[in-house]
């Protein structure tokens, strides 16, 4: 938010220089993004955190600077000249949605002169980046930036039957806002309506049909409170982000609406003339009565229950208006401050800091009792008061110790497995990526598996890319596309994150979530190399099996399921587990992402891989006797897979067989078209002695007979 120091100075007992203000705000926990001079005025661009909506105004930051720099702060008290008949004679107000609008007030100013703003007002707005429109609109913008309370001015003559109704929009209802855009509304939108149609989007933007123009003579000045969630949802759905919605979404001081209304009315009389009606028409939702933040004073009537009839609200002025409830009492213990901060801050300094913050501290025995004003919604616990004391006392004054003590804990196996995975893939030439969890609905449909449905969030929350990813591939493919457009078409990426889907068989059940590791590269071969290396790093001795299986996003006959054989020595209970999928992406997927070169991917079920991880390697004694290995080539049917051959030989429990390794297959030449040659290596070892050649030959013949019976295999 931009603040003009000349403007701020009007609320302090003495001016403050830009350097001092910048340093004070930084020490107080604010970020000052830049300091600039505009039309001779020094302007600070301050980043205000979401928990401090009270500082989204010149008054709020002036109050903060006063506390930080030991100055006195004073807010101007509006002085009104009310001579026209009571406001209730000119307009009626009905709250038809009190759960979304707990308070609404309307003032009436008649016989105004709409025209250019005086120079001081135009200059004040220009210094903070706002253009002048006319004196009426400029006053509402000035008060917004001054107090933090959004206001809106209607042309009273354009309000049908001079009736204001705060209600939910009807489904399909439309409104043309001040920016000329036509918006279709749903029942989740809150509107300000007259007797005929909506005249404003509550808390967001006014309607063009009721805007103030040079011919306007009578004004209705709105000041209200709206529930943050309602404003946030409608603003997101319609794609409207305004200064008003920004503040309502974060919450506004409940005692501010009436003050801002009176301040604006006084300024309007000053710059636009006119006659101000006595008091204001206000309505307060029933639930406001007895709440901590606001009570009803004389002259304010509660709104009827939702859907009730129009009500007559009394005019209020002087004491006849909503006033803040007694400030919330909250105590802080000096001993606890010392324990948290680690520094012995004198109690007198604590009291002085809390007094500067306007918290009216009172020392009672071993605690300090404070009264939290309504604008400090961020202070609700003792720790919040401790933070305020430290913030003003000075973070920089807390000494830095030369030594830091912390307990040592054994390595967490889950974190260690994740670290091993990252280090292995990076060492294999892959780069880690972090992508968005949301994708477009048509993008998610490419990667859904049979029986799965996409998980979508409400359009009010996310209008675009509102579907949770069912796979990690969409984000990685988009990243590959971006790299391709930058001249890096062969980039290899991996990501570790969660995916989501809804089981079509259980639509009422919560969405499923699974953590996966996905890789994207140039070919299936290079991806399998990285996957096999990862498996050996996580679980030495485990073996990877590839089973052809078509997948929607992968090209036909170029996709496979990954199975992992975990040796019993690793302590796993699953020895033939589904570990993921691998394959080359289908042409339709490449076209969707505008990829000009082939790409392959793998997606691993990380929770299973993590469970196979051996944080402590098992040591085995070195064998005393040598191993003997024999390469065997057999002629098989072209449809026989290596996985079947492997499983058959392992299930035979050949004596002394230590390992079985695939070497390769070969087709062509003089070989029949329905045949192929498969070569593999058998490794034998006798732990109790050296194997003789005749013993090895007998085992080889046994293996060949098994393959002949099962696959009609012939030794080449």
């Amino acid at each position: 938010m931009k603040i003009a120091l000349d403007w701020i100075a009007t609320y302090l007992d003495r001016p403050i220089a830009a350097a001092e203000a910048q340093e004070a705000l930084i020490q107080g926990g604010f970020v000052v993004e830049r300091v600039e001079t505009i039309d001779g005025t020094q302007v600070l661009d301050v980043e205000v955190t979401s928990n401090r909506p009270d500082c989204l105004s010149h008054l709020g930051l002036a109050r903060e600077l006063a506390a930080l720099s030991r100055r006195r702060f004073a807010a101007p008290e509006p002085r009104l000249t009310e001579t026209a008949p009571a406001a209730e004679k000119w307009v009626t107000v009905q709250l038809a949605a009190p759960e979304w609008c707990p308070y609404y007030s309307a003032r009436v100013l008649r016989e105004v002169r709409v025209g250019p703003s005086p120079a001081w007002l135009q200059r004040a707005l220009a210094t903070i980046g706002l253009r002048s429109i006319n004196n009426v609109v400029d006053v509402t913008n000035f008060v917004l930036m001054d107090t933090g309370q959004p206001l809106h001015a209607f042309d009273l003559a354009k309000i049908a039957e001079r009736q204001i109704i705060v209600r939910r929009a009807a489904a399909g209802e439309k409104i043309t806002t001040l920016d000329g855009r036509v918006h279709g509304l749903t029942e989740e939108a809150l509107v300000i309506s007259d007797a005929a149609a909506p005249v404003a989007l509550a808390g967001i933007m006014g309607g063009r049909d009721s805007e103030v123009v040079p011919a306007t003579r009578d004004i209705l000045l709105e000041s209200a409170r709206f529930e943050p969630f309602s404003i946030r949802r409608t603003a997101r759905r319609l794609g409207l982000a305004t200064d008003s919605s920004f503040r309502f979404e974060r919450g506004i001081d409940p005692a501010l609406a009436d003050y801002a209304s009176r301040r604006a009315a006084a300024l309007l009389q000053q710059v636009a003339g006119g006659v101000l009606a006595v008091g204001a028409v206000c309505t307060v939702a029933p639930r406001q009565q007895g709440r901590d933040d606001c009570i009803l004073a004389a002259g304010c009537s509660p709104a009827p229950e939702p859907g009730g009839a129009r009500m007559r609200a009394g005019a209020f002025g002087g004491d006849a208006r909503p006033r803040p409830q007694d400030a919330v009492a909250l105590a802080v213990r000096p001993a606890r401050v010392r324990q948290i901060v680690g520094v012995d801050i004198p109690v007198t300094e604590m009291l002085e800091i809390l007094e500067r913050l306007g918290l009216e501290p009172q020392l009672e025995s071993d605690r300090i009792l404070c009264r939290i004003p309504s604008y400090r919604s961020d202070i609700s616990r003792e720790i919040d008061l401790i933070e305020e004391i430290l913030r003003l006392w000075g973070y920089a004054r807390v000494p830095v110790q030369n030594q830091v003590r912390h307990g040592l804990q054994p390595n967490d196996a889950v974190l260690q497995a994740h670290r091993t995975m990252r280090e292995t893939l990076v060492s294999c030439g892959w780069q880690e990526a972090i992508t968005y969890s949301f994708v477009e609905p048509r993008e998610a449909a490419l990667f859904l598996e049979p029986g799965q449905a996409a998980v979508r969030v409400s359009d009010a929350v996310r209008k675009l890319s509102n579907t949770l990813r069912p796979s990690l591939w969409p984000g990685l493919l988009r990243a590959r596309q971006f790299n391709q457009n930058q001249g890096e078409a062969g980039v290899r990426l991996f990501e570790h994150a969660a995916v989501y889907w809804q089981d079509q068989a259980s639509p009422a059940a919560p969405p499923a979530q699974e953590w996966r590791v996905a890789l994207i590269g140039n070919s299936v071969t290079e991806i399998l190399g990285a996957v096999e290396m990862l498996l050996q790093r996580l679980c030495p001795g485990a073996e990877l099996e590839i089973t052809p299986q078509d997948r929607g996003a992968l090209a036909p006959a170029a996709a496979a399921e990954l199975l992992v054989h975990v040796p019993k020595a690793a302590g796993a209970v699953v020895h033939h587990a589904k570990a993921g999928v691998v394959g080359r992406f289908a042409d339709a997927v490449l076209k969707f992402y505008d990829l000009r070169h082939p790409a392959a991917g793998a997606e691993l079920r990380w929770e299973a891989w993590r469970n196979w991880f051996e944080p402590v390697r098992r040591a085995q004694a070195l064998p005393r006797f040598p191993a003997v290995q024999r390469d065997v080539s057999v002629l098989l049917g072209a449809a026989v897979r290596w996985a079947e051959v492997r499983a058959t030989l392992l299930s035979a429990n050949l004596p002394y067989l230590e390992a079985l390794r695939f070497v390769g297959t070969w087709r062509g030449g003089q070989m029949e078209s329905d045949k192929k040659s498969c070569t593999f290596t058998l490794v034998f070892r006798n732990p109790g002695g050296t194997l003789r050649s005749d013993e090895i030959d007998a085992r080889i013949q046994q293996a060949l007979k098994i393959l002949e019976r099962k696959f009609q295999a012939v030794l080449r």
Side-chain angles (χ1 to χ4, degrees):
M1 175 183 169
K2 290 186 176 181
I3 60 168
L5 290 186
D6 288 355
W7 192 337
I8 290 284
T10 60
Y11 307 132
L12 303 178
D13 61 336
R14 63 184 189 277
I16 185 169
E20 182 184 359
Q22 181 181 16
E23 181 63 21
L25 289 171
I26 291 173
Q27 294 301 321
F30 295 87
V31 175
V32 180
E33 295 184 343
R34 67 180 62 87
V35 180
E36 53 189 336
T37 301
I38 300 176
D39 195 18
T41 299
Q42 290 182 309
V43 177
L44 275 63
D45 193 350
V46 183
E47 181 180 327
V48 179
T49 54
S50 59
N51 68 320
R52 292 300 305 272
D54 60 301
C55 289
L56 290 171
S57 65
H58 280 73
L59 278 172
L61 283 172
R63 184 192 298 116
E64 191 71 16
L65 279 169
L68 292 167
S69 64
R70 289 182 167 82
R71 283 172 167 79
R72 287 195 299 274
F73 165 80
E77 181 59 33
R79 295 185 179 181
L80 304 180
T81 302
E82 300 172 316
T83 57
E88 62 179 348
K89 295 185 179 298
W90 302 99
V91 67
T92 60
V93 176
Q94 176 188 353
L95 287 188
E99 70 280 9
W100 286 354
C101 177
Y103 172 78
Y104 190 98
S105 74
R107 291 185 184 274
V108 175
L109 190 66
R110 304 190 63 243
E111 300 175 13
V112 299
R113 297 181 301 277
V114 179
S117 296
W120 71 265
L121 182 53
Q122 293 188 37
R123 180 174 178 271
L125 295 177
T127 57
I128 57 174
L130 298 181
R131 66 182 180 90
S132 176
I133 298 175
N134 59 53
N135 49 2
V136 174
V137 175
D138 288 356
V139 164
T140 60
N141 286 336
F142 177 86
V143 174
L144 165 63
M145 295 302 176
D146 186 53
T147 66
Q149 169 70 45
L151 304 171
H152 187 67
F154 297 96
D155 185 333
L156 184 58
K158 298 176 182 177
I159 303 299
E161 300 182 19
R162 293 184 176 179
Q163 182 179 3
I164 289 292
I165 306 170
V166 186
R167 61 172 174 84
R168 293 173 182 244
E173 203 166 24
K174 296 183 181 297
I175 183 174
T176 303
T177 47
L178 290 172
D179 58 2
R181 295 169 59 188
V182 179
H183 301 279
L185 306 178
T186 69
E187 294 178 349
E188 293 183 337
L190 183 68
V191 296
I192 310 300
S193 175
D194 60 15
V199 292
L201 287 172
I204 302 174
M205 186 179 290
R208 171 162 288 187
D209 294 340
S210 60
E211 70 175 319
V212 173
V213 296
T216 299
R217 290 294 173 263
D218 299 334
I219 290 172
L220 186 154
L221 181 63
E222 167 194 285
S223 184
R225 288 177 55 203
F226 301 113
E227 288 297 322
F229 177 74
S230 167
I231 303 302
R232 185 183 305 114
R233 179 173 53 195
T234 302
R236 296 294 186 276
R237 193 184 73 82
L238 300 180
L240 284 174
T242 64
D243 289 327
S244 294
S245 66
F246 185 81
R247 285 159 176 79
F248 276 124
E249 288 175 17
R250 284 153 180 78
I252 292 177
D253 176 10
L256 187 58
D258 177 69
Y259 172 81
S261 175
R262 291 184 290 118
R263 180 143 167 74
L267 287 171
L268 283 171
Q269 285 187 293
Q270 177 184 336
V271 303
V275 181
L276 183 63
V278 174
V281 179
C282 75
T283 52
V284 181
R287 64 190 183 121
Q288 289 299 105
Q289 302 177 73
R291 281 180 57 160
D292 290 338
D293 53 9
C294 184
I295 61 172
L296 289 175
C300 272
S301 304
E305 293 298 331
R310 182 193 315 168
M311 56 161 290
R312 175 184 180 277
F316 64 76
D319 289 335
R321 60 177 182 266
R323 62 176 183 267
Q325 176 69 295
D326 291 339
V328 176
L330 189 63
V332 60
R333 296 162 292 172
R336 182 61 173 163
V337 175
R338 299 186 189 101
Q339 182 183 16
I340 294 294
V341 177
V343 178
D344 187 7
I345 302 176
V347 175
T348 54
E349 290 193 41
M350 295 185 196
L351 291 168
E352 189 262 343
I353 288 171
L354 296 170
E355 184 66 39
R356 283 155 52 194
L357 288 168
L359 304 184
E360 303 178 22
Q362 297 291 329
L363 183 60
E364 295 183 359
S365 183
D366 61 345
R367 65 177 189 163
I368 300 173
L369 191 63
C370 299
R371 296 167 64 81
I372 311 303
S374 58
Y375 58 81
R376 289 304 303 267
S377 58
D378 60 309
I379 301 178
S380 60
R381 303 169 299 165
E382 182 184 34
I383 193 66
D384 298 327
L385 287 174
I386 295 174
E387 181 183 7
E388 289 298 294
I389 291 171
L390 178 58
R391 191 169 66 90
L392 267 69
W393 188 75
Y395 294 113
R397 297 173 65 183
V398 178
V400 178
Q401 302 295 331
N402 294 328
Q403 296 180 340
V404 177
R405 296 180 180 179
H406 60 86
L408 294 177
Q409 296 180 350
N411 288 333
D412 182 88
V414 173
L415 295 178
Q416 194 173 346
H418 181 255
R419 187 182 303 115
T420 301
M421 176 267 295
R422 292 182 68 252
E423 292 174 351
T424 302
L425 294 180
V426 169
S427 69
C428 290
W430 262 256
Q431 299 179 64
E432 186 171 12
I434 299 176
T435 64
Y436 293 113
S437 299
F438 289 94
V439 297
E440 296 290 341
R442 63 194 183 101
E443 188 176 11
L446 293 171
F447 301 94
L448 288 170
E449 299 177 16
Q452 293 182 353
V455 179
R456 296 186 61 178
V457 299
S458 169
D459 289 343
V461 179
R462 289 184 68 92
K463 197 170 184 178
L464 301 174
S465 299
N466 57 4
T467 304
L468 286 169
R469 59 187 175 196
S471 166
L472 298 182
W473 283 337
L476 293 178
L477 286 168
R478 285 197 178 277
R480 186 176 175 89
Q481 177 197 41
F482 177 83
N483 279 272
Q484 169 191 270
N485 296 341
Q486 309 307 312
E488 294 291 339
V491 66
R492 295 185 289 188
L493 303 171
F494 76 93
E495 182 175 12
H496 169 240
V499 300
Y500 311 87
W501 70 89
Q502 183 68 54
D503 189 350
Q504 290 182 339
S506 306
Q513 172 183 308
E514 184 177 59
W515 283 86
R516 295 180 183 174
V517 172
L519 296 86
I520 281 185
N522 304 305
S523 68
V524 173
T525 302
E526 69 177 15
I527 287 180
L528 283 176
V531 171
E532 289 176 344
M533 177 64 72
L534 175 61
L535 182 61
Q536 291 308 309
R537 289 289 303 277
L538 292 174
C539 183
E543 295 185 13
L544 191 66
E545 179 183 330
I546 302 170
T547 303
Q549 184 181 85
D550 286 345
R551 301 293 289 256
L554 302 176
E561 183 176 46
L562 298 176
L563 303 177
V564 169
H565 298 270
V566 182
K568 294 181 180 180
V573 297
V574 178
H575 304 292
H576 189 87
K578 295 181 179 181
V581 295
V582 66
R584 179 169 51 84
F585 287 109
D587 291 341
V589 174
L590 299 178
K591 183 178 180 181
F592 183 89
Y593 291 100
D594 194 25
L595 295 175
R596 297 187 292 271
H597 304 283
E603 196 162 43
L604 312 178
R605 299 175 60 243
W606 175 245
E607 292 182 8
W609 288 67
R610 186 188 65 201
N611 291 335
W612 299 327
F613 176 57
E614 295 182 19
V616 179
R617 295 290 185 261
R618 289 175 173 79
Q620 295 181 348
L622 293 175
R624 296 176 57 194
F625 300 97
V628 178
Q629 67 179 37
R630 295 281 181 88
D631 290 339
V632 177
S633 294
V634 293
L635 198 63
L636 296 167
V640 179
R641 296 185 294 110
W642 162 247
E644 298 176 82
V645 174
R646 180 183 184 281
T648 300
L649 291 177
L650 290 178
S651 63
N653 294 320
L654 297 175
Y656 307 132
L657 180 63
E658 183 179 80
L660 176 61
R661 303 191 190 104
F662 175 74
V663 176
T665 58
W666 184 79
R667 295 178 177 86
Q670 299 180 355
M671 194 178 302
E672 298 178 16
S673 60
D674 61 344
K675 299 291 183 180
K676 67 179 178 182
S677 174
C678 177
T679 302
F680 52 89
T681 299
L682 296 164
V683 181
F684 297 93
R685 189 194 304 271
N686 183 354
T690 301
L691 288 171
R692 300 188 309 274
S693 295
D694 58 333
E695 293 179 291
I696 301 301
D697 293 340
R699 304 296 170 248
I700 296 296
Q701 290 301 317
Q702 183 182 355
L704 291 173
K705 289 180 179 179
I706 293 172
L707 295 179
E708 182 182 4
R709 286 196 301 268
K710 183 71 179 287
F711 305 111
Q712 291 77 50
V714 178
L715 179 67
R716 292 195 68 203

